[in-house]
Amino acid sequence: MKKIIFLTFVAFAIVIACKSGNDAKSNALNITLEPKSGSTVNGTATFSEKNGVVSFEAKLTGLKPGIHAIHIHEKADCSAGDATSAGGHWNPTHVKHGKWSDAEHHKGDIGNFTADENGNATVTLKTDEWCIGCGDANKDILGKGLIVHANPDDYTTQPTGNAGGRVACAGIIK
């Protein structure tokens, strides 16, 4: 009897381990940012989800040195030369634009980052406010657009933060 219980436990543990491994693998997404508005900005972004937390990392090149904004926008459509086809900031909860750390902010308000003197930058964020393909309209980033802006976000101008032109775009799609 002990042997049957032990074997059942081992089989159960294997199933759980396999399921966990598949979930982690299926919730990773790599995208490539393309230049827009006549810029030379390129980059990659990775979204991965584990235990209900999405980790985001973008690596960017070709930026003007200084501060820039990055946001998630409504649509995964980068077809327009200036990326306006991606729509406005992703704001499924219909709140004011603001800084990520503020109580009120768009779900797409990632914030500002600094490009070094060579025009390179890395942006990171971890959040439980997003998910990858979960189907929750208030959290799911699939089908949205990732936009890098020419200028910094002032965190007050509504609804955009006055971040200037869109210099890079990528659809957040599998």
Side-chain angles (χ1 to χ4, degrees):
M1 183 66 170
K2 287 182 183 178
K3 188 174 184 180
I4 292 172
I5 292 172
F6 175 75
L7 291 175
T8 302
F9 174 77
V10 169
F12 179 74
I14 290 170
V15 167
I16 295 299
C18 289
K19 181 171 178 18
S20 296
N22 288 340
D23 285 348
K25 189 173 186 180
S26 67
N27 283 337
L29 181 61
N30 297 307
I31 61 174
T32 301
L33 289 125
E34 59 185 57
K36 292 292 173 183
S37 303
S39 82
T40 59
V41 179
N42 285 287
T44 59
T46 302
F47 296 89
S48 59
E49 184 175 6
K50 185 174 182 182
N51 299 324
V53 175
V54 173
S55 296
F56 164 74
E57 180 179 66
K59 294 184 179 207
L60 305 161
T61 63
L63 291 155
K64 290 184 180 174
I67 302 173
H68 302 269
I70 187 167
H71 302 116
I72 293 178
H73 284 243
E74 299 168 314
K75 303 174 206 162
D77 182 356
C78 296
S79 61
D82 61 359
T84 54
S85 50
H89 292 182
W90 176 45
N91 184 19
T93 55
H94 309 289
V95 296
K96 287 182 180 179
H97 172 73
K99 188 180 272 190
W100 187 265
S101 58
D102 292 347
E104 194 168 48
H105 61 275
H106 299 157
K107 294 281 182 152
D109 288 344
I110 298 172
N112 290 333
F113 65 92
T114 302
D116 67 17
E117 65 278 356
N118 297 315
N120 301 317
T122 299
V123 184
T124 60
L125 176 72
K126 287 187 179 192
T127 181
D128 62 358
E129 291 191 38
W130 300 342
C131 66
I132 303 170
C134 70
D136 180 340
N138 289 331
K139 293 181 76 170
D140 199 343
I141 60 171
L142 282 183
K144 309 300 181 269
L146 183 64
I147 300 286
V148 177
H149 291 273
N151 300 323
D153 188 325
D154 68 12
Y155 301 119
T156 56
T157 302
Q158 299 298 320
T160 65
N162 197 30
R166 301 169 185 202
V167 296
C169 182
I172 304 173
I173 52 178
K174 285 190 176 186

